[in-house]
Amino acid sequence: MSCKSSLDCTICFTWNGEIEMFRLLIAAALLLCPPAIASDLRVIDGDTVEIAGEKIRLCCVDTPEIRGQCEAERRLAVLAKHRVASLMAGNTYSVDRSSQKTDRYGRTIASIRLMGSTLSEILIAEGYGRTYSGGRRSSWCSR
């Protein structure tokens, strides 16, 4: 839209400013709020989800803890949780429970496959998690 008079320019400037403010608000909302997900799915943290009441611990990956030891770990944990929510929200997924194992908290250890990969592989490749095969976890705070 081109301005034809000083009044038009004032209107153009105000309208463009409102559009820019709206864009900034949308960007902030997308950063702060995870996408909506199916009602039978709850993302607990980066490596634990609950599907239809069953808690599932993703196999082969360790992600930072929401109540981690340092601020950097806690921040990355929130990002990992939101990434899992965004990946699962818009994609068809399947759960592979073939190991038929549970962890010490009673969670089913399983793989979740979507977009041709496991969720664990995606998290590791994107830097939200690291390979884990059980045992003592390495600290996220010494990175």
Side-chain angles (χ1 to χ4, degrees):
M1 178 174 172
S2 63
C3 300
K4 296 181 176 101
S5 70
S6 61
L7 177 61
D8 285 342
C9 288
T10 303
I11 292 169
C12 288
F13 178 75
T14 303
W15 179 246
N16 287 335
E18 289 173 1
I19 290 173
E20 188 59 32
M21 180 60 74
F22 180 73
R23 286 182 183 156
L24 289 172
L25 288 172
I26 294 296
L30 290 173
L31 284 173
L32 297 174
C33 303
I37 54 178
S39 61
D40 68 340
L41 173 67
R42 182 169 72 105
V43 177
I44 296 169
D45 62 23
D47 53 31
T48 307
V49 297
E50 187 175 333
I51 301 173
E54 177 186 21
K55 287 189 180 174
I56 296 173
R57 166 65 165 86
L58 298 177
C59 76
C60 311
V61 68
D62 175 47
T63 62
E65 299 299 322
I66 299 288
R67 295 186 176 142
Q69 298 174 354
C70 64
E71 184 61 29
E73 179 178 10
R74 292 186 292 271
R75 265 183 288 168
L76 188 55
V78 171
L79 293 173
K81 178 180 178 175
H82 285 202
R83 182 61 178 140
V84 170
S86 68
L87 286 166
M88 294 188 76
N91 292 296
T92 302
Y93 58 86
S94 62
V95 180
D96 178 4
R97 299 172 183 84
S98 61
S99 73
Q100 302 204 355
K101 294 181 183 177
T102 57
D103 68 3
R104 63 183 171 159
Y105 303 108
R107 300 175 294 186
T108 302
I109 298 175
S111 287
I112 296 179
R113 183 166 284 283
L114 61 140
M115 302 182 329
S117 298
T118 67
L119 190 50
S120 299
E121 291 168 339
I122 295 168
L123 292 171
I124 292 166
E126 293 181 357
Y128 295 107
R130 54 185 170 215
T131 304
Y132 180 69
S133 57
R136 190 171 179 92
R137 297 178 34 221
S138 299
S139 174
W140 286 92
C141 297
S142 60
R143 291 176 73 167

